[in-house]
């Protein structure tokens, strides 16, 4: 005679307790703890304050009407005014500085991105002798300090009659931005499927036609990042601009700022106001390309 053992059914209370514990375990795995979220938010707030505090302090100092107000910043609040901005706009060459800076920065962005995009595409798609060493040679050029490069470049452009021209400064800035942007664009082109190039050749397009009509439209985020980097680099460059530009009317913003500081005097209030005005074009340019920046910065990290 066999005996059958029947296990008792679990009680409703035990089932509810087990289900609740399971849900709590799922929430713990999927969501961070309150302490972790608090620490993360606190760190993000501190990082935001560290990033914005210098800008806010510069704006605050620019409101002080006297050149020595930076020594006693507590008194600026009671006499804050926009007189520094009025003086800079009316009695300096800031309009010429702005025009020169935009010519150099936009020229560097256009020329630099053109060279970087073609170089990155050639290395990404074509296998020619020396295609791998080429990228490392470009990277090696960044190891030379600017002080070493200024003298030979000045001699070259002097022989070509390009001293005190925007073209010379644009070419010099391109020597700085193209190596980095070429690496950036190569990484981005590596993520574009090769089948697109093959489809272009099937349709009768030349390699350059495929590059211009098919690849470049897909590479807009990468182009935006390269253009923004080139623009900002040329916008704030000082060493080359102060060496190759001799005419006061051709000074860029970075060089024009130096006119407020002399051997015996320093007009920090005007310098602060000018620095705030300088940030306006960069902010506007960032606004134009910002929707592509995040995509372009992350797309070259993986191949797919």
């Amino acid at each position: 005679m066999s005996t059958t053992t029947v296990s008792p059914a679990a009680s409703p209370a035990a089932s509810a307790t087990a289900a609740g514990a399971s849900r709590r375990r799922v929430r713990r795995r999927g969501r961070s703890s309150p302490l972790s979220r608090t620490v993360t938010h606190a760190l993000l707030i501190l990082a935001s304050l560290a990033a914005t505090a210098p800008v806010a302090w510069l704006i605050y100092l620019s409101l002080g009407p006297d050149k020595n107000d930076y020594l006693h910043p507590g008194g600026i609040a009671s006499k804050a005014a926009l007189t520094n901005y009025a003086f800079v706009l009316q009695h300096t060459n800031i309009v010429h500085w702005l025009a020169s800076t935009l010519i150099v920065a936009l020229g560097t962005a256009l020329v630099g991105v053109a060279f970087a995009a073609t170089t990155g595409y050639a290395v990404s798609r074509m296998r020619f002798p020396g295609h791998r060493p080429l990228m490392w040679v470009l990277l090696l050029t960044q190891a030379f300090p600017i002080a070493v490069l200024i003298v030979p470049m000045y001699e070259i452009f002097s022989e070509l009659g390009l001293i005190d021209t925007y073209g010379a400064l644009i070419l010099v800035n391109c020597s700085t931005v193209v190596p980095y942007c070429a690496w950036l664009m190569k990484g981005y082109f590596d993520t574009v499927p090769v089948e697109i190039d093959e489809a272009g050749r099937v349709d009768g397009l030349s390699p350059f036609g495929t590059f211009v009509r098919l690849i470049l439209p897909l590479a807009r985020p990468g182009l935006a990042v390269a253009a923004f980097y080139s623009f900002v680099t040329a916008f704030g460059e000082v060493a080359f601009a102060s060496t190759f530009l001799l005419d006061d009317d051709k000074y860029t913003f970075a060089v024009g700022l130096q006119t407020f500081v002399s051997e015996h005097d320093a007009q920090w209030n005007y310098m602060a106001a000018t620095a705030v005005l300088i940030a306006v074009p960069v902010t506007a340019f960032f606004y134009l390309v910002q929707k592509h920046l995040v995509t372009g910065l992350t797309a070259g990290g993986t191949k797919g």
Side-chain angles (χ1 to χ4, degrees), residues 110-185:
L110 291 175
V111 177
V113 170
F115 278 114
T118 51
T119 302
Y121 179 74
V123 176
S124 175
R125 290 294 194 268
M126 304 174 185
R127 295 297 175 262
F128 52 89
H131 75 279
R132 291 186 182 276
L134 172 63
M135 298 302 293
W136 291 108
V137 170
L138 289 176
L139 189 63
L140 182 63
T141 60
Q142 303 300 291
F144 295 96
I146 293 178
V148 175
L149 300 176
I150 285 180
V151 175
M153 286 185 174
Y154 190 91
E155 291 292 333
I156 293 173
F157 288 118
S158 179
E159 293 293 332
L160 296 175
L162 295 177
I163 297 298
D164 199 27
T165 63
Y166 297 128
L169 189 56
I170 290 173
L171 291 177
V172 169
N173 287 331
C174 285
S175 68
T176 302
V177 302
V178 167
Y180 170 78
C181 292
W183 274 93
L184 173 71
M185 294 308 303

Side-chain angles (χ1 to χ4, degrees), residues 117-118 185 189 210-221 223:
T118 51
M185 294 308 303
F189 289 134
T210 302
F211 171 68
V212 173
R213 299 181 61 179
L214 299 181
I215 303 301
L216 284 185
L218 297 175
R220 284 179 183 174
L223 294 173

Side-chain angles (χ1 to χ4, degrees), residues 217-273:
L218 297 175
R220 284 179 183 174
L223 294 173
V225 175
F228 182 73
Y229 172 79
S230 302
F231 182 89
V232 172
T233 300
F235 197 93
E237 199 280 323
V238 178
F240 289 134
S242 58
T243 301
F244 291 96
L245 296 180
L246 307 178
D247 190 353
D248 294 353
D249 291 336
K250 293 183 179 179
Y251 281 173
T252 60
F253 271 141
V255 182
L257 277 176
Q258 299 179 14
T259 61
F260 295 114
V261 179
S262 63
E263 183 179 357
H264 304 288
D265 189 25
Q267 298 171 315
W268 299 111
N269 52 334
Y270 297 146
M271 181 179 288

Side-chain angles (χ1 to χ4, degrees), residues 12 22 87 109 173 183 189 198 201-202 223 239:
S22 176
F87 178 87
N173 287 331
W183 274 93
F189 289 134
E198 297 173 352
R201 287 195 291 270
V202 170
L223 294 173

